[in-house]
Amino acid sequence: MTIKVGIIGCGRIAQKHVNTINKLKGVKITALSDISVESMDNLLLRIQSSSEQKIATYSYYKSLLHDSNVDLVIISTISSLHAEMTKEALLAKKHVLVEKPLALTLDQSRNLHQLANQCGKKLFVCYQLRYIKTILMIKEMLNQGLFGELYYGAITIEINRSEHYYKEANWRGKWDLDGGMLINQGIHLVDLLVWFLGDVVDVDGCLIKKNDSKETEDAAMGIFTFKSGAKGILHANTITLPTNIGYSIRLFGEKGTVALKGTKLQEIERFEVEGVTLTQEELETWIEDQNEHTRMYEAVIDSIQGNEQPYVVNGKESERALEAIFALYQSAIDKNKTYLPLSTFETSWMKGKI
């Protein structure tokens, strides 16, 4: 069965989706939607299709949702539109793959997961870093108990987002449209921390804001406590000068220590797990593998076709990182520890609070 794909939002992120789909069998793009005709035309040039294949274009996204030649809708618009577009796509009986974050409120996130179940359709969120080869290997080792007791994990995000970056698009840096630095730039690393260490029970966080040209935080620090008793440490900022340092994730356990860093966590600083012997060649093979986006898509396609995948990120799974970040934000407002689960939260509440 060929899965027919419609893309809503034809900007830079959509280009990455097209590049991946071009490599896959059993999936093809049949429709595009964007308010910019130029963006749709530019994306059309990237799509590899047979000469007889007609790709429909729509300036209004709901027209794409009513196209019977679309099975799976990819949503790659600005963050504030994700929830409403996902809701409409599910109601139109389409499967959905949406860029992170799924929503900017906890209620929307929870409702969308329930709606997907009610509609009998699949809802996926793009957390492709889970599919980095090294990350998958770590997860498998954790599942096998090879680390023993996990003591704590640490993530860092040290990047630069200039004033020009925020002025380039008027939605950036706004709580109700963008969602915050941790939601936009940090959620992938928070997801990995939660994926590795389990359910969060409380968060103690603080935020720093120095850039007056935007509303959202410039830096965030947090300490997470997990149900297992393990701790998590977060240090993130978008004010690293003059350019990005990058990202890192570190795990410290009873029987192992792992440290990864780099723009795509591609540098292995330490990989020591008791009883596990890895050659330099094996490690280099993991590093050289750049197919995480493809693996994510393959898992999505398999899941749609009825072959459930253990690591695929549905609406409920995606909410774990979202709620952890929301709890950090709530902690920063209250200047006190925040306990999970949260009853509700909206990023718009943060306006004027830091």
Side-chain angles (χ1 to χ4, degrees):
M1 179 184 78
T2 297
I3 295 174
K4 293 165 285 187
V5 171
I7 300 176
I8 300 175
C10 297
R12 179 178 56 84
I13 298 299
Q15 294 173 10
K16 185 174 183 179
H17 286 275
V18 167
N19 291 342
T20 298
I21 292 170
N22 282 341
K23 302 174 187 176
L24 299 172
K25 295 180 179 179
V27 57
K28 67 178 181 179
I29 298 168
T30 56
L32 302 177
S33 177
D34 199 291
I35 57 175
S36 167
V37 173
E38 181 181 3
S39 294
M40 286 191 285
D41 287 344
N42 288 338
L43 200 60
L44 280 170
L45 296 175
R46 290 176 172 266
I47 298 171
Q48 293 178 2
S49 60
S50 58
S51 58
E52 70 273 8
Q53 180 181 332
K54 174 66 175 175
I55 298 174
T57 57
Y58 302 100
S59 58
Y60 184 44
Y61 81 93
K62 287 188 179 180
S63 298
L64 181 147
L65 298 181
H66 291 101
D67 188 333
S68 60
N69 203 34
V70 171
D71 305 311
L72 169 66
V73 174
I74 297 166
I75 298 173
S76 57
T77 59
I78 68 171
S79 298
S80 60
L81 299 179
H82 291 180
E84 181 61 26
M85 288 181 170
T86 297
K87 175 184 175 181
E88 294 295 334
L90 291 170
L91 289 173
K93 304 299 181 183
K94 309 295 185 184
H95 302 294
V96 180
L97 173 61
V98 58
E99 277 292 336
K100 53 77 183 170
L102 173 58
L104 297 180
T105 84
L106 203 51
D107 287 346
Q108 284 178 327
S109 175
R110 289 169 176 166
N111 291 339
L112 288 169
H113 174 67
Q114 293 173 1
L115 181 61
N117 289 337
Q118 291 167 5
C119 293
K121 292 298 174 182
K122 301 284 188 177
L123 169 58
F124 310 97
V125 183
C126 293
Y127 284 4
Q128 67 270 14
L129 293 196
R130 288 192 179 199
Y131 291 91
I132 292 173
K133 188 68 173 179
T134 311
I135 296 296
L136 287 171
M137 294 300 102
I138 294 169
K139 181 62 174 177
E140 290 293 335
M141 291 178 190
L142 287 169
N143 288 348
Q144 295 169 30
L146 297 181
F147 280 77
E149 180 187 355
L150 269 183
Y151 299 143
Y152 79 95
I155 55 174
T156 64
I157 300 155
E158 297 165 315
I159 58 178
N160 178 273
R161 293 294 182 267
S162 66
E163 189 170 335
H164 173 73
Y165 168 84
Y166 292 103
K167 289 183 176 179
E168 195 176 37
N170 62 10
W171 58 273
R172 290 176 179 161
K174 290 185 170 60
W175 284 112
D176 59 341
L177 301 177
D178 194 356
M181 177 267 292
L182 283 181
I183 293 293
N184 195 327
Q185 281 88 21
I187 197 166
H188 284 299
L189 270 290
V190 175
D191 173 64
L192 293 183
L193 189 69
V194 174
W195 199 40
F196 287 157
L197 290 169
D199 294 331
V200 180
V201 295
D202 65 59
V203 182
D204 198 352
C206 68
L207 303 175
I208 296 173
K209 181 180 180 297
K210 297 295 183 181
N211 185 347
D212 291 333
S213 66
K214 66 185 184 71
E215 299 174 356
T216 55
E217 80 276 27
D218 297 307
M221 285 71 73
I223 298 176
F224 301 83
T225 302
F226 294 87
K227 189 175 181 179
S228 65
K231 295 288 186 177
I233 300 169
L234 173 147
H235 158 225
N237 79 74
T238 53
I239 50 174
T240 300
L241 294 177
T243 57
N244 296 354
I245 292 176
Y247 308 88
S248 73
I249 184 165
R250 298 165 186 264
L251 295 176
F252 301 89
E254 177 188 7
K255 298 180 180 180
T257 296
V258 167
L260 309 178
K261 69 176 184 178
T263 54
K264 292 180 66 176
L265 303 176
Q266 74 275 23
E267 298 177 48
I268 300 177
E269 294 184 284
R270 181 73 53 82
F271 206 113
E272 292 291 332
V273 181
E274 189 177 306
V276 176
T277 302
L278 296 170
T279 66
Q280 187 62 33
E281 184 180 3
E282 286 174 306
L283 292 175
E284 288 176 359
T285 300
W286 293 359
I287 292 169
E288 291 168 2
D289 187 307
Q290 301 288 309
N291 297 312
E292 64 273 3
H293 207 252
T294 301
R295 273 191 290 272
M296 179 191 73
Y297 256 92
E298 288 171 343
V300 166
I301 293 166
D302 283 346
S303 184
I304 290 174
Q305 293 176 337
N307 304 312
E308 290 302 325
Q309 300 298 304
Y311 298 150
V312 75
V313 182
N314 60 21
K316 185 175 183 180
E317 182 67 12
S318 76
E319 192 179 291
R320 298 173 71 200
L322 196 66
E323 186 176 18
I325 292 172
F326 286 168
L328 191 154
Y329 285 160
Q330 187 67 60
S331 174
I333 293 175
D334 297 341
K335 294 181 171 54
N336 205 349
K337 189 177 290 186
T338 295
Y339 295 87
L340 286 78
L342 299 177
S343 58
T344 186
F345 190 86
E346 300 181 13
T347 58
S348 61
W349 295 351
M350 297 296 295
K351 191 169 184 176
K353 296 292 178 64
I354 61 168

